Amino acid sequence: MKKSKILLIYTGGTIGMVKDYKSGALRAFNFNKLLKNIPELAQIDCHIDSVSFENPIDSSNINTTHWIEIAGIIESYYKSHDGFVVLHGSDTMSYSASALSYMLENLEKPVIFTGSQLPIGDLRTDAKENLITSIQIAALQKNGKPVVREVGLYFEYKLYRGNRTTKINAEHFEAFESLNYPPLVESGVHLKVYHEYLWTKKSVKKFTVHKVLDNNVAILKLFPGFNQAILKSVLQTANLKGLVLETYGAGNAPTASWVLAELEIAIKNGLHIVNVTQCSGGSVIMGQYETSEQLQKLQIINGKDITTEAAITKLMYLLGRNITSKTFKTIFETSLRGEMQ
Ligand code: ASP
């Protein structure tokens, strides 16, 4: 059997950082040096190539142009390689994995995001295990075909569907959660693949990379006591086209008439508003309570059990695709890449 060819895409993040001894701060460093720190890579039974961002970044600096760059790299190497591992800072990794999941339509190969909490040179680093297992998962084949055919996120022994994840801890090695969808693969003595949860939808359509994203979007998290001026100023932001409204519990918002009136005006003016719960797990159920019934009447988009990360990137993606206002709500409420129920 021929060896899998894996492409490592290094964007930055703690995994490849070194300590600046003067200031004590972590900063990104040269990718080739990073690979030299992991002699174990030579033992993996696959061929590994790598490309790196010219200037590796802390993922807090990620923006839509970086997502387009990652998508472009995958597009260029799509035919020649069997799988992709994206090394990325953990801070915004769930956003990037979600964005890429939409941008890579009809993906038939694995794209695995990973990173680490401690730099690779650190004695107690989690980087080596995360990197090595991500490569092994990207190289998994069955009957000559990749086992994983979607954008995943691997961290601390678990592969998740990327667009279902959230960073939940800034300190623990177990930094990510996927509360509304089970892990796809677990790593113990053996790799346990949960085939029943993998993306298996067959598409006859060609792999397509979408590189237009519209970032005229915002997230507004409700809190008890938020005032009309704040709501108004967000809703009236120039060029704002999409808003993720983080509501309480199962999608509830205050029933004060000024709240509903402001939302109604914004929707009439063409703003797409998505109802997403602030809870890390569970789903919006529009109409379950009186406090969400009104939102339903306003035709606010039901974000169901989508994460905020997957919702905001879905808005950017769909706005970039020039979907008509009439069909926008229906398309948003449809699971495109397994990001919602
Ligand atoms: N600040 C870092 C980043 O997101 C943290 C990490 O890599 O985990 O780039």
Side-chain angles (χ1 to χ4, degrees):
M1 225 175 69
K2 105 177 173 356
K3 275 191 182 181
S4 286
K5 269 180 96 175
I6 304 301
L7 184 74
L8 288 186
I9 304 170
Y10 178 56
T11 68
T14 302
I15 194 162
M17 286 184 180
V18 277
K19 219 179 211 134
D20 182 328
Y21 284 101
K22 266 195 198 147
S23 64
L26 290 170
R27 62 173 165 76
F29 87 133
N30 182 292
F31 183 62
N32 294 325
K33 282 197 199 156
L34 167 76
L35 288 184
K36 279 198 198 115
N37 271 290
I38 327 170
E40 293 91 339
L41 288 182
Q43 290 173 35
I44 306 181
D45 191 27
C46 60
H47 179 87
I48 302 169
D49 292 314
S50 62
V51 287
S52 169
F53 272 13
E54 202 171 310
N55 297 307
I57 52 170
D58 185 297
S59 77
S60 302
N61 287 319
I62 281 274
N63 60 44
T64 52
T65 55
H66 298 108
W67 294 339
I68 293 166
E69 186 173 348
I70 299 170
I73 295 171
I74 294 172
E75 185 175 34
S76 311
Y77 291 85
Y78 193 73
K79 284 221 171 88
S80 58
H81 287 73
D82 302 298
F84 303 85
V85 174
V86 184
L87 300 175
H88 191 292
S90 61
D91 288 350
T92 60
M93 197 188 288
S94 295
Y95 291 90
S96 297
S98 300
L100 265 293
S101 77
Y102 304 122
M103 295 165 83
L104 307 174
E105 193 178 6
N106 304 317
L107 184 66
E108 298 255 313
K109 299 186 177 186
V111 174
I112 314 294
F113 277 76
T114 196
S116 65
Q117 292 281 52
L118 286 175
I120 205 132
D122 200 286
L123 203 55
R124 294 175 47 252
T125 189
D126 51 333
K128 283 191 186 179
E129 199 284 320
N130 285 348
L131 176 57
I132 290 167
T133 309
S134 294
I135 295 173
Q136 286 184 327
I137 291 172
L140 283 179
Q141 303 251 345
K142 199 177 170 193
N143 306 326
K145 293 229 161 88
V147 171
V148 178
R149 296 163 47 230
E150 59 184 296
V151 177
L153 186 155
Y154 183 82
F155 227 84
E156 195 60 4
Y157 304 112
K158 287 192 186 105
L159 177 78
Y160 299 110
R161 175 163 295 158
N163 56 30
R164 288 291 197 156
T165 61
T166 302
K167 185 171 180 184
I168 44 106
N169 202 300
E171 194 179 325
H172 292 170
F173 286 145
E174 213 168 326
F176 289 88
E177 257 305 351
S178 165
L179 284 166
N180 286 336
Y181 200 76
L184 308 176
V185 178
E186 275 186 271
S187 158
V189 174
H190 303 287
L191 281 182
K192 173 113 193 58
V193 181
Y194 299 104
H195 290 274
E196 64 275 37
Y197 299 127
L198 288 170
W199 182 260
T200 48
K201 239 189 206 170
K202 284 245 165 346
S203 172
V204 281
K205 294 201 187 119
K206 235 179 93 224
F207 172 61
T208 310
V209 181
H210 300 280
K211 293 190 197 143
V212 183
L213 297 168
D214 190 333
N215 66 355
N216 286 302
V217 294
I219 299 171
L220 178 63
K221 182 173 183 159
L222 297 185
F223 57 92
F226 75 92
N227 67 44
Q228 189 167 5
I230 297 289
L231 181 63
K232 214 181 182 115
S233 80
V234 172
L235 294 175
Q236 292 182 3
T237 306
N239 294 325
L240 189 69
K241 296 181 193 154
L243 178 77
V244 172
L245 188 67
E246 275 201 5
T247 56
Y248 309 125
N252 306 314
T255 45
S257 55
W258 60 266
V259 175
L260 299 168
E262 295 295 347
L263 293 173
E264 189 170 10
I265 296 169
I267 292 170
K268 283 216 171 102
N269 288 336
L271 183 68
H272 301 290
I273 304 181
V274 188
N275 186 358
V276 173
T277 173
Q278 304 184 357
C279 298
S280 329
S283 181
V284 163
I285 308 170
M286 302 261 266
Q288 189 187 24
Y289 291 89
E290 195 189 358
T291 41
S292 67
E293 220 180 358
Q294 296 299 330
L295 303 181
Q296 194 175 27
K297 282 195 187 130
L298 290 178
Q299 287 291 303
I300 284 188
I301 298 168
N302 185 349
K304 303 180 195 173
D305 63 347
I306 199 169
T307 61
T308 295
E309 293 88 333
I312 193 78
T313 49
K314 191 170 183 176
L315 275 178
M316 292 187 201
Y317 167 71
L318 291 180
L319 289 168
R321 297 216 48 198
N322 286 325
I323 309 281
T324 61
S325 316
K326 264 195 183 162
T327 52
F328 198 94
K329 181 176 178 334
T330 312
I331 295 180
F332 195 104
E333 289 177 354
T334 308
S335 169
L336 301 178
R337 312 280 189 265
E339 73 283 3
M340 56 165 41
Q341 68 201 6

